[in-house]
Amino acid sequence: MNRVVVLVSLIIASILTLSSSNVTTNNKHSHFVLVHGAGHGAWCWYKVATLLQSTGHKVTAIDLTASGINPIQVTQVNGSLLDYAKPLTDFMASLPSAAAAEKVVLVGHSLGGLSISLAMERFPHKISAAVFVTALMPSPNLTYSQIFEEDLVLGLSLVRPYDTFSNKELLNKQLKLTKEKYGSVRRVFIVCDQDHTIEESLQRWKIERNPPHQVMIINGTDHMNLIIIVVIMSTVLPSNNDENTKIISSSHFVLVHGAGHGAWCWYKVANLLQSTGHKVTTIDLTASGINPIQVTQVNGSLLDYAKPLMDFMASLPSSEAAEEVVLVGHSLGGLSISLAMESFPHKISAAIEYHDLYAILMEWVSFEIQNTRRFGSPMDSTFIYGQGPNNPPTAVLFGPNLLASKFYQLSPPEDLVLALTLLRPYDQFSNEELLSEQLKLTKEKYGSVRRVFIVCDQDYVIEESMQRWMIEKNPPHEVMVINQTDHM
């Protein structure tokens, strides 16, 4: 049985079996608030969130400060747990306080235990139970400085830097817990027996020092049991029989995401490629993924948007014996890899364009008009008016309904949940004059790179007829078709 299923089943079971008279949970439909651990973000709960939602529960996954896609940088936290936990405490403050109001189930993983402890102290009347998943679980009778050095161990694969909260005086001041508030919330601690970050002996020590109401054990699980990756997606690689492609048994793939997405969207493809011996680099373009720049700073400049890719390509060695990379661009990412093909053709063995918005400069306006007409309503997308409300929108954030019906309609449901936690607004590059100036492509450079176009026949964002139109306007060296696949 999948360990994530086990984890969620145990969490649900722990809530449904609560017998304390002062706990008023809705046994059928609860509201789970999921709080991540060090360096991670709301994204790490995507499988758990999917499973909970599929059984009728409401789920809110929080990005703490300087985590996930929260725009604040770790240097601004300055050791303040209050600042770090602010997104959670703000959310808790926004919940209604009436006696009949819904109570939430807080779930904290690893370092997230400190943040949910703050929430338990401030909002005990809004919480039906708190679940600590191999997490820091402070006690009203124990100062944080007494347990910090033994309790907090750095993970090996952190997505973003995190503040180590080494100012113990500040922490003790901020993390004042009382039996009357924090202690009034029912606590469940989940032990993971193969956790090498916070070993089982240390988890047991925490339980002994501050006994929860219930202890549950999941055997054979590591520190990140909630984000076990199951590779269920295959990818199509260009043929290695054609000497012009220069793709050998071990290649270096550079993966570039589409509009609103980030390096994260390639995780299944990257895992599959790496497992077969290939090297993989996934790029966060400007104002995408966890790139710290905001979309309002792009200002319609494709050069600014593609800068992380261009900087990476510039960093690669230029000698004849140097390794050449395979560029893979998805959707809007086609424009960025086209810039790289023009600037660094000698460093690229092939370019794979996956639903690529073909960078045919003279056809760009025509493409935009035709695809907008076919795409239809933006549904629940949110528009950003960076130049004021009296001017056209400069950026857009795809809405959940649009993503579900046109982007991810054939994808596993957990992929949509993951996207909803990480998606960011993207610049529409509506300044045609600026785009024309920046996207000057030549046959001698851009045209010298071998191009492979992958058609997805169930793409509702760029329909197959539009993909065929782009191929007709700018024929690639090879066309491949994947049947029964959506835009993502």
Side-chain angles (χ1 to χ4, degrees):
M1 187 177 183
N2 187 291
R3 292 173 186 170
V4 175
V5 177
V6 174
L7 173 61
V8 176
S9 299
L10 286 173
I11 291 175
I12 295 175
S14 70
I15 305 308
L16 299 184
T17 57
L18 296 179
S19 58
S20 176
S21 60
N22 64 342
V23 176
T24 56
T25 58
N26 181 332
N27 286 354
K28 291 185 177 180
H29 300 294
S30 299
H31 183 178
F32 288 84
V33 179
L34 310 180
V35 183
H36 60 82
H40 289 70
W43 57 267
C44 73
W45 294 103
Y46 78 105
K47 288 187 177 179
V48 173
T50 301
L51 289 167
L52 287 171
Q53 289 170 341
S54 70
T55 54
H57 297 285
K58 182 178 180 180
V59 177
T60 299
I62 302 290
D63 269 332
L64 298 176
T65 302
S67 305
I69 60 171
N70 182 282
I72 296 176
Q73 299 304 296
V74 69
T75 52
Q76 298 172 261
V77 177
N78 294 321
S80 171
L81 182 62
L82 293 183
D83 289 348
Y84 178 63
K86 190 174 185 298
L88 172 62
T89 53
D90 284 352
F91 172 77
M92 293 299 298
S94 73
L95 296 176
S97 298
E102 168 195 61
K103 291 186 176 182
V104 301
V105 179
L106 286 183
V107 183
H109 174 242
S110 193
L111 186 65
L114 293 185
S115 295
I116 70 170
S117 295
L118 276 181
M120 291 161 65
E121 177 67 20
R122 291 188 177 189
F123 309 100
H125 55 291
K126 297 183 179 183
I127 304 167
S128 62
V131 181
F132 291 77
V133 184
T134 184
L136 301 179
M137 186 174 61
S139 166
N141 303 315
L142 192 66
T143 63
Y144 183 73
S145 60
Q146 289 176 276
I147 65 171
F148 179 80
E149 293 177 356
E150 295 176 279
D151 217 331
L152 182 60
V153 181
L154 294 177
L156 297 177
S157 56
L158 302 180
V159 177
R160 288 182 68 177
Y162 75 97
D163 196 299
T164 55
F165 305 107
S166 54
N167 185 333
K168 297 174 183 177
E169 183 178 350
L170 177 61
L171 276 167
N172 287 331
K173 179 180 178 181
Q174 294 182 342
L175 198 61
K176 290 183 177 178
L177 307 179
T178 64
K179 289 184 178 180
E180 294 73 25
K181 295 180 179 179
Y182 169 85
S184 69
V185 178
R186 186 171 181 86
R187 287 176 291 113
V188 180
F189 192 98
I190 296 181
V191 175
C192 297
D193 68 338
Q194 297 300 314
D195 188 338
H196 293 168
T197 303
I198 303 177
E199 294 184 356
E200 184 178 2
S201 59
L202 185 53
Q203 297 177 60
R204 297 288 186 183
W205 178 83
K206 289 188 290 184
I207 291 169
E208 179 183 346
R209 297 298 295 269
N210 184 22
H213 298 83
Q214 189 174 354
V215 176
M216 312 187 82
I217 303 172
I218 307 180
N219 294 317
T221 51
D222 60 20
H223 188 67
M224 295 309 298
N225 62 80
L226 65 162
I227 55 167
I228 294 172
I229 301 301
V230 180
V231 179
I232 59 173
M233 177 180 176
S234 62
T235 186
V236 177
L237 303 181
S239 170
N240 59 5
N241 295 326
D242 190 326
E243 61 180 7
N244 292 325
T245 65
K246 300 182 182 178
I247 298 177
I248 58 176
S249 58
S250 180
S251 299
H252 183 178
F253 288 83
V254 179
L255 310 180
V256 183
H257 60 82
H261 289 69
W264 55 267
C265 72
W266 294 104
Y267 79 104
K268 290 181 180 178
V269 174
N271 281 342
L272 184 60
L273 288 171
Q274 289 169 342
S275 70
T276 54
H278 296 286
K279 182 178 180 181
V280 177
T281 298
T282 55
I283 302 290
D284 269 331
L285 298 177
T286 301
S288 305
I290 60 170
N291 181 281
I293 296 175
Q294 300 304 297
V295 70
T296 51
Q297 298 172 261
V298 176
N299 294 320
S301 170
L302 182 61
L303 292 182
D304 288 349
Y305 178 64
K307 188 175 186 297
L309 172 62
M310 302 298 280
D311 287 349
F312 172 78
M313 294 299 298
S315 73
L316 296 175
S318 298
S319 64
E320 289 187 6
E323 168 194 60
E324 292 182 344
V325 301
V326 180
L327 283 184
V328 183
H330 174 241
S331 194
L332 187 64
L335 295 184
S336 295
I337 71 169
S338 295
L339 278 180
M341 291 160 65
E342 178 67 20
S343 297
F344 308 99
H346 55 291
K347 296 183 178 183
I348 304 168
S349 62
I352 303 175
E353 298 158 320
Y354 178 50
H355 323 266
D356 175 23
L357 294 185
Y358 251 87
I360 321 166
L361 186 55
M362 67 289 296
E363 301 289 352
W364 174 254
V365 176
S366 177
F367 170 80
E368 282 287 272
I369 293 172
Q370 290 196 43
N371 196 54
T372 299
R373 185 184 301 125
R374 295 178 183 223
F375 186 73
S377 169
M379 298 175 67
D380 55 341
S381 298
T382 302
F383 291 94
I384 296 172
Y385 295 84
Q387 297 175 351
N390 297 324
N391 292 302
T394 55
V396 63
L397 175 64
F398 296 132
N401 293 334
L402 179 68
L403 289 168
S405 61
K406 290 187 179 290
F407 284 74
Y408 288 87
Q409 78 275 9
L410 298 179
S411 298
E414 62 267 24
D415 287 356
L416 175 60
V417 173
L418 179 63
L420 291 174
T421 64
L422 289 171
L423 211 69
R424 294 178 64 179
Y426 76 96
D427 196 296
Q428 293 189 295
F429 304 106
S430 54
N431 186 333
E432 296 167 11
E433 184 177 350
L434 178 61
L435 191 65
S436 299
E437 179 184 338
Q438 295 183 342
L439 198 61
K440 292 181 178 178
L441 307 179
T442 64
K443 289 184 179 180
E444 293 73 26
K445 295 181 179 180
Y446 167 85
S448 69
V449 178
R450 184 172 182 84
R451 287 178 291 112
V452 180
F453 190 98
I454 298 179
V455 174
C456 295
D457 68 340
Q458 297 300 313
D459 187 340
Y460 292 169
V461 178
I462 305 176
E463 293 182 354
E464 184 177 2
S465 59
M466 284 300 298
Q467 297 176 59
R468 298 289 184 183
W469 178 82
M470 291 189 288
I471 291 168
E472 179 185 344
K473 291 292 183 180
N474 186 20
H477 297 82
E478 188 175 352
V479 176
M480 309 185 79
V481 180
I482 308 179
N483 293 317
Q484 296 301 308
T485 50
D486 58 22
H487 188 69
M488 298 309 300

